[in-house]
């Protein structure tokens, strides 16, 4: 389960429509199944960009989060998962219980476990209504409508699809409806990233230009706090341009800007631009 700071205002249930989110989440589950089906044991144990996690580890994490949502308790393990270098908070420790418990299990059996929990969650989601999606729930971003949590699930599962594809040298879903829905969690956090993490100064006017499957132009102005605006009120002070796939991976903490800086174009006040791209990661 990917956790992140709550960077969006409180919203009504209508902004998390079940008829949009539920089918895309179920589709994402199916895409992951297709990706995992037929993997060799070597592929299951391929390291990913996430510290300590193989392809099997990511799958175990997905199983664990959906199991938690289904009301299934986390397994007990002999090792102290909090002693692992990459475990730095309670959510990470919870995730690691599932990763550790399924570590010795053959990949094919892990896939069956994944299919079992997806079948259960599909049944549970199928019985829900828009009213259920509007109910307040404990989510990775704090109290929010259950529908927000399910949008976060689309984001988390989609990002992990990319993680697995990157590890195996395959092409994932860089764009399309699932990517658009899931990436709303990223794009909604841009003002927070620019203002809090990137420390853009008062009066800064920043344009983020993304190309690729999730192409868009984002304008941010800083007046007391960083705010996204439809258009800048005065000339831009900093420009940042890159491919949307790179932006998503930077925001997800999958890669570092310093390792991909040749793929990023900075203009205007490049010191501000570099500080922003160096601090794009906002998931924990």
């Amino acid at each position: 389960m990917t956790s992140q700071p709550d960077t969006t205002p409180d919203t009504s249930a209508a902004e998390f429509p079940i008829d949009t989110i539920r089918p895309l989440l179920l589709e994402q589950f199916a895409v992951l199944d297709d990706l995992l089906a037929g993997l060799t044991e070597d592929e299951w144990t391929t390291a990913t960009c996430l510290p300590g996690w193989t392809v099997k580890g990511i799958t175990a994490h997905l199983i664990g989060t959906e199991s938690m949502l289904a009301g299934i308790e986390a397994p007990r393990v002999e090792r102290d998962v909090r002693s692992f270098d990459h475990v730095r908070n309670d959510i990470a420790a919870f995730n690691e219980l599932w990763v550790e418990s399924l570590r010795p299990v053959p990949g094919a059996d892990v896939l069956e476990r994944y299919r079992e929990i997806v079948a259960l969650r599909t049944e549970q989601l199928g019985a829900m209504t828009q009213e259920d999606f509007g109910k307040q729930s404990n989510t990775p971003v704090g109290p929010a409508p259950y529908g927000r949590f399910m949008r976060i699930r689309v984001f988390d599962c989609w990002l992990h699809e990319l993680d697995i594809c990157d590890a195996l040298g395959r092409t994932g879903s860089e764009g399309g409806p699932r990517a658009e829905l899931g990436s709303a969690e990223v794009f909604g956090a841009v003002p927070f990233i620019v203002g809090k993490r990137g420390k853009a100064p008062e009066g800064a006017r920043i344009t983020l230009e993304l190309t690729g499957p999730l192409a868009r132009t984002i304008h941010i102005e800083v007046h007391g706090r960083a705010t996204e605006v439809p258009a800048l009120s005065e000339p831009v002070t900093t420009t940042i341009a890159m491919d949307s796939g790179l932006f998503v991976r930077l925001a997800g903490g999958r890669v570092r800007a310093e390792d991909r800086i040749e793929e990023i174009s900075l203009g205007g006040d490049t010191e501000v631009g570099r500080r922003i791209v160096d601090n794009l990661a906002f998931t924990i």
Side-chain angles (χ1 to χ4, degrees):
M1 179 167 49
T2 300
S3 178
Q4 61 205 57
D6 188 0
T7 57
T8 58
D10 190 21
T11 53
S12 67
E15 296 194 47
F16 304 106
I18 189 170
D19 290 340
T20 297
I21 297 173
R22 179 170 56 193
L24 289 176
L25 179 55
L26 298 183
E27 180 182 313
Q28 183 63 61
F29 289 157
V31 168
L32 284 164
D33 190 307
D34 289 343
L35 178 60
L36 298 170
L39 293 185
T40 66
E41 201 59 37
D42 284 344
E43 288 173 321
W44 277 105
T45 56
T46 298
T48 71
C49 62
L50 301 175
W53 285 13
T54 61
V55 170
K56 187 193 298 183
I58 288 178
T59 309
H61 156 59
L62 295 172
I63 292 169
T65 303
E66 295 306 322
S67 295
M68 179 272 292
L69 287 164
I72 299 171
E73 291 187 3
R76 295 184 179 183
V77 298
E78 294 184 3
R79 299 178 68 186
D80 178 12
V81 296
R82 291 183 179 273
S83 68
F84 299 170
D85 290 341
H86 58 278
V87 175
R88 301 176 181 175
N89 53 59
D90 290 342
I91 290 177
F94 169 82
N95 291 338
E96 207 65 32
L97 292 173
W98 291 93
V99 175
E100 180 66 19
S101 70
L102 291 173
R103 196 184 307 277
V105 178
D109 293 337
V110 172
L111 177 57
E112 286 307 308
R113 290 283 297 274
Y114 172 79
R115 287 171 172 168
E116 289 170 4
I117 192 59
V118 164
L120 177 57
R121 287 291 293 143
T122 299
E123 180 181 351
Q124 291 176 337
L125 287 164
M128 288 187 169
T129 64
Q130 182 63 63
E131 183 179 359
D132 294 321
F133 261 48
K135 292 179 180 177
Q136 287 293 297
S137 172
N138 291 323
T139 81
V141 298
Y146 189 82
R148 172 82 188 278
F149 201 166
M150 294 305 97
R151 191 178 76 175
I152 293 171
R153 293 307 304 136
V154 175
F155 168 61
D156 196 38
C157 293
W158 169 65
L159 194 56
H160 286 315
E161 175 197 341
L162 298 183
D163 293 334
I164 293 171
C165 286
D166 288 350
L168 298 177
R170 301 186 184 184
T171 301
S173 307
E174 299 283 349
R178 286 178 289 107
E180 288 286 351
L181 180 66
S183 63
E185 291 296 324
V186 176
F187 294 122
V190 169
F192 168 84
I193 294 169
V194 168
K196 295 294 185 181
R197 294 191 56 81
K199 294 181 170 45
E202 180 70 16
R205 295 176 297 279
I206 297 155
T207 294
L208 175 63
E209 192 75 50
L210 300 181
T211 56
L214 296 175
R216 67 202 61 211
T217 301
I218 302 172
H219 301 296
I220 303 291
E221 291 194 350
V222 182
H223 299 294
R225 61 180 297 177
T227 305
E228 183 174 353
V229 295
L232 298 177
S233 59
E234 296 183 59
V236 66
T237 59
T238 297
T239 60
I240 303 169
M242 70 181 83
D243 180 79
S244 60
L246 176 56
F247 176 81
V248 166
R249 288 166 175 82
L250 287 168
R254 271 53 181 177
V255 297
R256 301 182 304 174
E258 62 187 86
D259 297 327
R260 306 281 292 272
I261 197 64
E262 72 281 356
E263 300 173 50
I264 303 171
S265 177
L266 303 177
D269 188 337
T270 57
E271 181 179 346
V272 170
R274 182 59 190 264
R275 190 163 63 239
I276 291 169
V277 299
D278 281 341
N279 291 280
L280 275 179
F282 77 106
T283 60
I284 60 174

